[in-house]
C-alpha cells in the first residue's frame, strides 16, 4: 500500500506461498517500477523482465496496483503534507487526517480523488506571504474552494438528515454514545423477556 519496494517484495512472496506462483519475477518488476519511477528514470534502453500474462481472470483479492501518475501524485502529496514535517500538535492532527485520506485514495488508484486532494492541500496550506503578488489570487481560489466545500457539506448534511438513523439520533440530541447505550439496553431487556417466555413454555 505504501509503494515501498521492500514492502512490495514481502507482499509478493507472501502471496506466492498460497497461490503457488513464482514471486521472483513479479517482485523484481514491482521493485524496478517503484525505484525507477521514484528516481525519474526515463531510460528506455534498460531491458526489463517481460511481464507474465495470466491466462485466468484477475484475482479479486489482489490489491489494486496504482498507476504511475497516481504514484507520482501520491509521493508529491506525502512530501508536502506529511505530519513529521511540523511540530504543532494541531497541525500534526490535521496533516494526519489528510494523509489518511490520501492513502485511501492511493490504495484504490483513484486518480481524480488524488487530484482533488492535491488541489485541496494547495488551497488550505499557508499560501504565499501576505505581501507577495500572488497572495490575492491565492485567496480568491481559496474562497472559491471553501464555497464549493460548504455546498458539498450542506448536501451531505441533508442526505444524512434524511437517513432513518437521523431520527434515532435526534431523539437523543445527536449523542451517538447515549443512543447506542439506550438501544443496547432495550435490546438486552427484550432478550431477557423472550428468554423468560421461552423458559416458561419449555417448563409447561
Amino acid at each position: 500500500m505504501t509503494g515501498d519496494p521492500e514492502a512490495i517484495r514481502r507482499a509478493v512472496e507472501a502471496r506466492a506461498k498460497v497461490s503457488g506462483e513464482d514471486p521472483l519475477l513479479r517482485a523484481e518488476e514491482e521493485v524496478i517500477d517503484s525505484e525507477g519511477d521514484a528516481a525519474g528514470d526515463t531510460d528506455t534502453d534498460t531491458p526489463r523482465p517481460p511481464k507474465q500474462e495470466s491466462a485466468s481472470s484477475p484475482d479479486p483479492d489482489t490489491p489494486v496496483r496504482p498507476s504511475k501518475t497516481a504514484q507520482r501524485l501520491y509521493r508529491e502529496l506525502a512530501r508536502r503534507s506529511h505530519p513529521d514535517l511540523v511540530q504543532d500538535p494541531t497541525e500534526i492532527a490535521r496533516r494526519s487526517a489528510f494523509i489518511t485520506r490520501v492513502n485511501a485514495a492511493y490504495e484504490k488508484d483513484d486518480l481524480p480523488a488524488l487530484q482533488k486532494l492535491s488541489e485541496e492541500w494547495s488551497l488550505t496550506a499557508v499560501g504565499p506571504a501576505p505581501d507577495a503578488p500572488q497572495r490575492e489570487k491565492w485567496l480568491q481560489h481559496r474562497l472559491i474552494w471553501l464555497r464549493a466545500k460548504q455546498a458539498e457539506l450542506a448536501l451531505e448534511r441533508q442526505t444524512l438528515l434524511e437517513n432513518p438513523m437521523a431520527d434515532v439520533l435526534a431523539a437523543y440530541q445527536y449523542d451517538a454514545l447515549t443512543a447506542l447505550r439506550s438501544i443496547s439496553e432495550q435490546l438486552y431487556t427484550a432478550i431477557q423477556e423472550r428468554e423468560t417466555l421461552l423458559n416458561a413454555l419449555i417448563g409447561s
Side-chain angles (χ1 to χ4, degrees):
M1 293 187 297
T2 62
D4 178 73
E6 180 62 18
I8 293 174
R9 183 189 64 77
R10 292 199 303 268
V12 171
E13 289 182 351
R15 179 167 294 280
K17 291 181 181 180
V18 295
S19 64
E21 60 189 35
D22 183 5
L24 297 179
L25 185 58
R26 286 187 60 191
E28 186 175 355
E29 290 174 2
E30 297 281 351
V31 171
I32 290 176
D33 286 346
S34 297
E35 293 178 342
D37 197 40
D41 182 15
T42 57
D43 184 8
T44 56
D45 296 332
T46 303
R48 292 189 179 184
K51 295 184 178 180
Q52 293 178 333
E53 296 293 337
S54 175
S56 59
S57 58
D59 186 353
D61 295 331
T62 302
V64 176
R65 182 181 179 186
S67 64
K68 296 214 165 141
T69 303
Q71 291 177 19
R72 284 191 289 269
L73 192 52
Y74 171 78
R75 283 194 291 269
E76 176 65 17
L77 280 169
R79 182 184 66 80
R80 294 163 58 195
S81 63
H82 200 281
D84 291 347
L85 299 175
V86 295
Q87 301 292 330
D88 180 63
T90 302
E91 180 65 10
I92 289 175
R94 185 179 80 88
R95 286 172 175 253
S96 297
F98 181 82
I99 206 70
T100 298
R101 295 164 57 199
V102 171
N103 288 335
Y106 178 70
E107 291 167 14
K108 298 175 183 177
D109 192 23
D110 191 343
L111 184 58
L114 287 171
Q115 291 171 335
K116 187 176 180 181
L117 287 166
S118 179
E119 178 184 359
E120 176 183 335
W121 182 258
S122 297
L123 293 172
T124 56
V126 177
D131 56 348
Q134 303 88 353
R135 182 72 177 183
E136 182 177 353
K137 185 176 181 180
W138 176 80
L139 288 173
Q140 290 175 350
H141 283 295
R142 183 171 183 179
L143 180 60
I144 293 172
W145 178 83
L146 288 173
R147 286 175 176 171
K149 195 68 176 177
Q150 185 179 24
E152 181 182 337
L153 292 174
L155 179 61
E156 181 69 16
R157 178 180 181 275
Q158 184 62 31
T159 302
L160 292 174
L161 289 175
E162 293 174 356
N163 190 299
M165 194 62 187
D167 295 334
V168 177
L169 291 174
Y172 295 93
Q173 299 181 345
Y174 296 99
D175 186 344
L177 184 58
T178 301
L180 182 60
R181 287 175 177 171
S182 178
I183 293 172
S184 63
E185 289 173 0
Q186 294 176 27
L187 289 173
Y188 184 71
T189 301
I191 291 172
Q192 286 184 318
E193 292 175 353
R194 294 294 181 91
E195 287 181 344
T196 302
L197 178 59
L198 180 61
N199 290 332
L201 292 173
I202 294 176
S204 61

